[in-house]
Structures are given as structure tokens and as C-alpha cells.
């Protein structure tokens, strides 16, 4: 196998939860470009199908499926809606609601937990069971964050409408422990479980003051690009990373090295 063949996903099926958002869109495109049939999920069937149609128009294999991570019945029915088995699961979806400690209500916490905690658990349980039954292994990748492994620097957001919500730190830190636990449990079945922890992603909407502060704090002096994130992602879900499991990989330009 050549190094390029090791990164190929030809013949594999990959599910990307939240596949229409800031991270989900480039993740889905990268998996499809690597040869996978990508199943893009969203709470909106129309949004999922629209995202899939963009990839199909580029000659790539993709389909859109409605999936509500806050609804156990929606998750339970996922395997039956797919034409083939699942080789790769990318847990990317995140429900955003609430702010810091004093700007988060009990209702906010319950809503985020239903999707980001219970939903993450249920979709992983459902897909992992299908992988085990199929008997050909697989890869599960959790999309975490630098704020799952380090505390927030609120000074970065001073004078802007941006902040770092409490639920986000809780959920993304939980992904780190979940990743290790599942890597140990699922490893004997040939299923690898890893976590990608991106830093700030340049999206063209951040205030200049935030960008300047963030870049000054980051050893490589810039925000992440889509290719920074997707390059690491492809390593962790392909045969190129066949001996990597239980790892949380920061892709942050050195932000967490301080």
C-alpha cells in the first residue's frame, strides 16, 4: 500500500452529524473527495439534501438524511435508513444554547445535554453496534475543541459579542474522556476512536480585535483554515492512522502549548 492509498476512503461509507455547518461542510467534502460515500445529517432534511446535492454536482458520492440528536427515536432509526454498512462516524453536531455560568438557564442546560451528551452517546452506541455486527471494524471521530482541554481566555472576546459558553467546555471536555473509554472498549472489535480538538477557525466573520488577539496568543500566529482541520481528520479516519486510537489531537497552531 502506498502512502496515498493509505489515505484513500474509496468504498467506505461515512456519517457526518451536523454535516451542513461551519465544520461539517468541509469535513463532508474532504471525506467525499477521499472516496467515501458521505451521509450528511442535519435536523433539517432539506438542508442535509441540499448539502449532499452540492457534493454530487461535483461528481462525489453523498446523500442527505434528517437526524435529530435530541430525539432517541430519530437516532434508533438511522441504520435502517442507510443502503450499506457504516465504516466511519464523525460526531460533529453541536447544539448551541446558553452563555456563561450566569447566562445559562436550566432549560438551556437540558436542551444542550439532550443533543450534545445523550444524543452523542446514543448515535455512537447505535453506529458502534452496527459496526460490531458487520465485523469489519471502523473509525469513530469526535470533533472536540481546544476548550475541552484548556480553560477559556475571556480576554480574547473583550469588546465583542463573542464569548465561550459554559456548556461548550463541559461537552467538549466530556468528549476527551469518552474517546479514551470507547477506544479501550471497542478496540478489540477493530474500531478506532479518536478526538480532534480544533482551535479557532477563520470564517471571515470574527471581529478584527478578536482575530488580532487570538493570533498574538497562538505560536503559529494565525487562526486555523479548513484544510488544517480536514488534513488531520483524514489521518484519523483512514488507514494512514490505523494504529492510532484513544487520542485527542489538538489542531490549534500551538494555542494549548502555553
Amino acid at each position: 500500500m502506498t502512502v496515498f492509498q493509505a489515505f484513500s476512503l474509496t468504498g467506505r461509507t461515512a456519517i457526518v452529524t451536523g454535516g451542513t455547518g461551519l465544520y461539517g461542510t468541509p469535513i463532508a467534502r474532504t471525506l467525499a473527495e477521499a472516496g467515501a460515500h458521505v451521509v450528511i445529517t442535519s435536523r433539517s432534511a432539506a438542508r442535509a439534501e441540499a448539502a449532499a446535492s452540492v457534493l454530487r454536482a461535483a461528481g462525489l458520492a453523498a446523500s442527505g438524511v434528517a437526524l435529530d440528536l435530541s430525539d432517541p427515536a430519530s437516532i434508533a432509526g438511522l441504520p435502517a435508513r442507510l443502503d450499506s454498512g457504516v465504516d466511519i462516524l464523525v460526531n460533529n453536531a453541536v447544539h448551541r444554547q446558553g452563555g456563561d455560568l450566569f447566562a445559562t438557564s436550566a432549560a438551556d442546560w437540558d436542551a444542550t445535554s439532550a443533543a450534545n451528551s445523550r444524543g452523542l452517546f446514543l448515535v455512537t452506541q447505535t453506529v458502534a453496534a452496527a459496526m460490531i455486527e458487520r465485523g469489519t471494524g471502523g473509525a469513530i471521530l469526535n470533533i472536540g475543541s481546544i476548550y475541552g482541554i484548556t480553560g477559556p481566555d475571556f480576554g480574547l472576546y473583550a469588546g465583542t459579542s463573542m464569548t465561550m459558553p459554559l456548556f461548550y467546555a463541559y461537552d467538549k471536555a466530556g468528549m476527551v474522556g469518552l474517546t479514551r473509554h470507547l477506544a479501550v472498549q471497542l478496540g478489540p472489535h477493530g474500531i478506532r476512536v479518536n478526538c480532534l480538538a480544533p482551535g479557532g477557525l477563520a470564517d471571515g466573520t470574527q471581529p478584527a480585535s478578536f482575530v488580532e488577539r487570538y493570533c498574538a496568543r497562538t505560536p503559529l500566529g494565525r487562526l486555523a483554515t479548513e484544510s488544517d482541520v480536514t488534513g488531520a481528520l483524514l489521518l484519523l479516519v483512514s488507514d494512514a492512522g490505523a494504529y492510532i486510537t484513544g487520542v485527542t489531537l489538538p489542531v490549534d497552531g500551538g494555542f494549548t502549548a502555553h
Side-chain angles (χ1 to χ4, degrees):
M1 179 186 298
T2 68
V3 66
F4 295 107
Q5 290 171 330
F7 282 96
S8 173
L9 301 179
T10 299
R12 301 182 194 183
T13 298
I15 297 175
V16 181
T17 68
T20 65
L22 179 65
Y23 284 105
T25 298
I27 287 172
R29 184 179 66 246
T30 296
L31 297 176
E33 288 176 347
H37 177 114
V38 179
V39 179
I40 297 172
T41 80
S42 171
R43 283 177 293 178
S44 165
R47 286 187 65 188
E49 179 53 30
S53 68
V54 171
L55 295 182
R56 290 197 299 269
L60 304 172
S63 56
V65 172
L67 179 67
D68 184 352
L69 289 181
S70 67
D71 180 2
S74 178
I75 296 170
L78 180 61
R81 299 165 66 189
L82 304 180
D83 295 331
S84 61
V86 180
D87 302 286
I88 299 165
L89 169 65
V90 180
N91 283 317
N92 169 71
V94 60
H95 178 73
R96 300 176 182 272
Q97 187 171 325
D100 65 20
L101 177 62
F102 302 109
T104 301
S105 67
D108 292 332
W109 194 262
D110 289 344
T112 57
S113 295
N116 302 343
S117 181
R118 186 186 67 193
L120 172 69
F121 150 65
L122 287 175
V123 75
T124 303
Q125 180 188 62
T126 299
V127 172
M131 287 177 172
I132 291 172
E133 182 178 3
R134 189 182 183 197
T136 55
I140 297 172
L141 183 63
N142 299 318
I143 304 301
S145 168
I146 54 172
Y147 286 132
I149 54 180
T150 190
D153 182 348
F154 288 111
L156 297 176
Y157 310 114
T160 76
S161 61
M162 300 174 65
T163 189
M164 181 48 55
L166 179 63
F167 82 83
Y168 196 77
Y170 182 86
D171 292 333
K172 296 306 185 182
M175 274 188 168
V176 175
L178 181 72
T179 296
R180 291 176 179 147
H181 182 103
L182 295 181
V184 174
Q185 182 176 1
L186 298 178
H189 300 283
I191 300 170
R192 298 184 298 106
V193 186
N194 291 294
C195 180
L196 198 64
L201 180 67
D203 65 7
T205 69
Q206 294 107 327
S209 59
F210 166 79
V211 173
E212 182 178 356
R213 292 172 191 143
Y214 189 96
C215 293
R217 190 193 184 286
T218 304
L220 290 186
R222 62 178 177 85
L223 288 157
T225 65
E226 290 181 355
S227 61
D228 292 327
V229 176
T230 57
L233 171 132
L234 190 55
L235 166 67
L236 294 177
V237 301
S238 70
D239 289 343
Y243 203 54
I244 302 173
T245 195
V247 166
T248 295
L249 175 63
V251 181
D252 65 356
F255 188 96
T256 56
H258 287 280

